[in-house]
Amino acid sequence: MFTAVGNSTINATWTTITRFLRPEDDRRPIVDAVTVYVLTLILGITIGFICGFFGTVTNIINIFIFVKQGIFSEGSILNLFSLSLADLGVCFMNMLLSTSYLVYRLEITYLPLNPRIVSILILGWPLKIFIGLNRMLTAYIAFERCMCVVMPFRVKGMFASRRAFIYLLSIFVYGFSSHIQFFATNYIGDVKVQGTNITTLGIVHGTDRDIWHGLLFYGNYMALHLLTAFIVVVCTIITSSYVRVSKEWRNRVSRANDDSNNTVGSIDNHATRNGSKSSKFESEATCKAKNTTLSKANFDKEARLVKMITTISIIFCVCYSPDFTMLVMTLADRRFNTGRQYERLDHIMHELIFLFATINSSINIFIYYRISTKYRQIFQSYFCKTKEKKVSEWNAVTTVR
């Protein structure tokens, strides 16, 4: 009896391993078609289009304001300008992808192409490229700010505007060039509809398609996602810790300088009342006050920039959690991408990934406006009419009359 139980356990274990290594073509999906249709209508078409349109407008505004600030005036502005370009690509492509989903759901049969299949190649993969660029740029910005905070004097010239431009250009070149071979092995051509004599436009797969798809998955998707997430999390923690410690130290120094200034002021007042000259004490007090003010202003500017990058990094980690979940699911069971049982679930996960990536790319305008003083001033000067402007315009109109 013990032998029979042991043999049955071994057989069941071997059957499980065999199914994992050679997944069967299971045609029983775990998600029904109605659920997929409703979620696609809500997430992919309605909310996806709204977020994509909103993000397209806001990122155009971001790019306009960063151009007004001077792209090459500071390395941080160049970094945020590049991130806004990637965000614009994510939002715009997702808006178009939502429109293509709507065309597919309307089942317009007289079109000479399959909207769903063609949208995967024309819109879906370019959207993934911009999402990858967003990841790499966020990781680069977090790493750059971490190095500038931890080792400000050693890396002062390493992230200057010209070198930063080369770094950022390299990221864009790599993001696009890494998918060239995929588009070379997957292209749009005439495809015969199965069971009919109708020919329509669809995706034609090359002979090396599976090889390049695997390389892209393990290289550009899995490794890139894990590496960028690791860099963003570690650099954000280190940067926040250094800024907090530095702030405490500067507060102690500021209090010590205030005490010394008060002491010098009392001595100066005493000397003035006695009729003696106190130019030496005045100069020392003035220099200390100016140095304290300048250092405090520079530190406040750096602290605001670190706060902005930290907020962007936190939102990045939250919005890309569905992508990380899908990566774990794919590594845990490779039938997630190949088996028909998970096809609809895979479609829903892609809807969530694209939607959260679009949200991540469309809400940065609120962070910039809330934290950056210069950004807020330029935004208000072009897009907001303050009370003073309205009064001046009214006075000008009444004067003309």
Side-chain angles (χ1 to χ4, degrees):
M1 181 177 179
F2 177 77
T3 305
V5 173
N7 291 334
S8 62
T9 304
I10 293 174
N11 293 334
T13 305
W14 177 251
T15 302
T16 304
I17 295 174
T18 304
R19 287 182 177 178
F20 180 77
L21 295 177
R22 293 178 297 176
E24 298 177 357
D25 189 12
D26 193 350
R27 296 180 179 274
R28 294 173 298 176
I30 59 177
V31 181
D32 59 290
V34 178
T35 303
V36 175
Y37 179 83
V38 173
L39 290 178
T40 302
L41 181 63
I42 297 174
L43 300 177
I45 298 178
T46 307
I47 303 179
F49 181 84
I50 294 174
C51 293
F53 178 78
F54 176 76
T56 301
V57 175
T58 56
N59 281 289
I60 291 175
I61 295 174
N62 292 338
I63 293 172
F64 172 78
I65 293 179
F66 290 139
V67 170
K68 289 297 181 181
Q69 291 185 17
I71 301 175
F72 296 98
S73 60
E74 296 180 12
S76 58
I77 297 178
L78 180 60
N79 295 338
L80 297 178
F81 173 79
S82 303
L83 183 62
S84 298
L85 288 178
D87 290 339
L88 177 62
V90 172
C91 296
F92 183 71
M93 298 306 296
N94 191 69
M95 182 179 64
L96 296 181
L97 189 64
S98 301
T99 306
S100 69
Y101 283 157
L102 178 62
V103 174
Y104 169 70
R105 291 302 177 184
L106 292 177
E107 297 181 355
I108 303 177
T109 57
Y110 57 83
L111 292 176
L113 50 85
N114 188 329
R116 181 173 180 270
I117 294 177
V118 176
S119 64
I120 294 175
L121 186 62
I122 298 178
L123 302 175
W125 276 97
L127 176 58
K128 289 185 177 181
I129 292 175
F130 282 109
I131 291 176
L133 288 173
N134 180 274
R135 291 178 187 150
M136 291 187 287
L137 290 171
T138 305
Y140 167 78
I141 293 174
F143 175 76
E144 182 262 348
R145 191 45 40 192
C146 178
M147 297 298 293
C148 291
V149 170
V150 176
M151 297 183 295
F153 299 104
R154 295 183 181 180
V155 299
K156 184 177 182 181
M158 187 180 299
F159 296 101
S161 298
R162 292 183 179 180
R163 293 188 177 182
F165 175 76
I166 297 175
Y167 301 151
L168 296 170
L169 182 62
S170 302
I171 292 175
F172 276 92
V173 171
Y174 172 77
F176 286 101
S177 61
S178 59
H179 291 76
I180 291 178
Q181 192 61 36
F182 175 81
F183 285 100
T185 55
N186 298 269
Y187 53 91
I188 299 177
D190 294 332
V191 177
K192 186 176 181 180
V193 180
Q194 187 177 5
T196 62
N197 294 325
I198 301 175
T199 301
T200 183
L201 291 178
I203 299 178
V204 179
H205 302 295
T207 55
D208 299 333
R209 181 246 183 184
D210 294 334
I211 298 175
W212 286 105
H213 186 79
L215 291 176
L216 283 174
F217 173 77
Y218 289 104
N220 270 20
Y221 178 63
M222 185 181 70
L224 182 64
H225 183 85
L226 294 177
L227 180 62
T228 53
F230 176 78
I231 292 174
V232 169
V233 172
V234 173
C235 292
T236 302
I237 294 174
I238 295 175
T239 305
S240 301
S241 301
Y242 265 81
V243 170
R244 186 178 66 255
V245 173
S246 179
K247 185 177 181 180
E248 294 176 356
W249 177 80
R250 287 179 180 274
N251 289 333
R252 291 196 299 268
V253 173
S254 178
R255 286 194 295 269
N257 289 332
D258 291 339
D259 295 337
S260 63
N261 290 335
N262 292 332
T263 303
V264 172
S266 61
I267 295 174
D268 180 42
N269 293 331
H270 178 72
T272 303
R273 285 195 301 268
N274 293 333
S276 61
K277 296 182 180 180
S278 57
S279 60
K280 181 179 180 180
F281 294 104
E282 289 179 357
S283 61
E284 290 180 356
T286 304
C287 291
K288 286 184 178 181
K290 288 183 178 180
N291 293 332
T292 303
T293 304
L294 290 175
S295 61
K296 187 177 184 302
N298 293 331
F299 177 76
D300 291 341
K301 180 180 178 181
E302 182 71 19
R304 286 194 301 270
L305 183 58
V306 170
K307 183 179 179 181
M308 181 188 300
I309 302 303
T310 303
T311 307
I312 293 174
S313 301
I314 293 174
I315 295 175
F316 168 84
C317 294
V318 173
C319 290
Y320 279 99
S321 57
D323 202 356
F324 182 77
T325 303
M326 185 175 179
L327 175 62
V328 173
M329 294 171 65
T330 305
L331 294 176
D333 191 347
R334 68 190 186 95
R335 291 179 299 174
F336 188 77
N337 277 341
T338 59
R340 294 179 181 272
Q341 184 179 6
Y342 300 96
E343 183 179 1
R344 292 173 179 170
L345 181 60
D346 178 80
H347 180 74
I348 294 175
M349 290 300 298
H350 271 92
E351 294 289 347
L352 287 174
I353 290 171
F354 292 158
L355 177 61
F356 274 82
T358 306
I359 293 174
N360 174 71
S361 300
S362 59
I363 62 177
N364 286 337
I365 187 173
F366 300 107
I367 303 174
Y368 302 151
Y369 185 86
R370 179 68 179 81
I371 300 177
S372 177
T373 305
K374 187 180 295 185
Y375 181 96
R376 185 166 57 252
Q377 291 175 353
I378 298 176
F379 183 91
Q380 291 177 352
S381 62
Y382 282 95
F383 302 102
C384 297
K385 282 190 176 182
T386 60
K387 184 177 180 180
E388 291 78 7
K389 282 188 177 182
K390 292 181 180 179
V391 172
S392 62
E393 289 179 358
W394 174 256
N395 292 333
V397 171
T398 54
T399 302
V400 172
R401 288 180 179 178

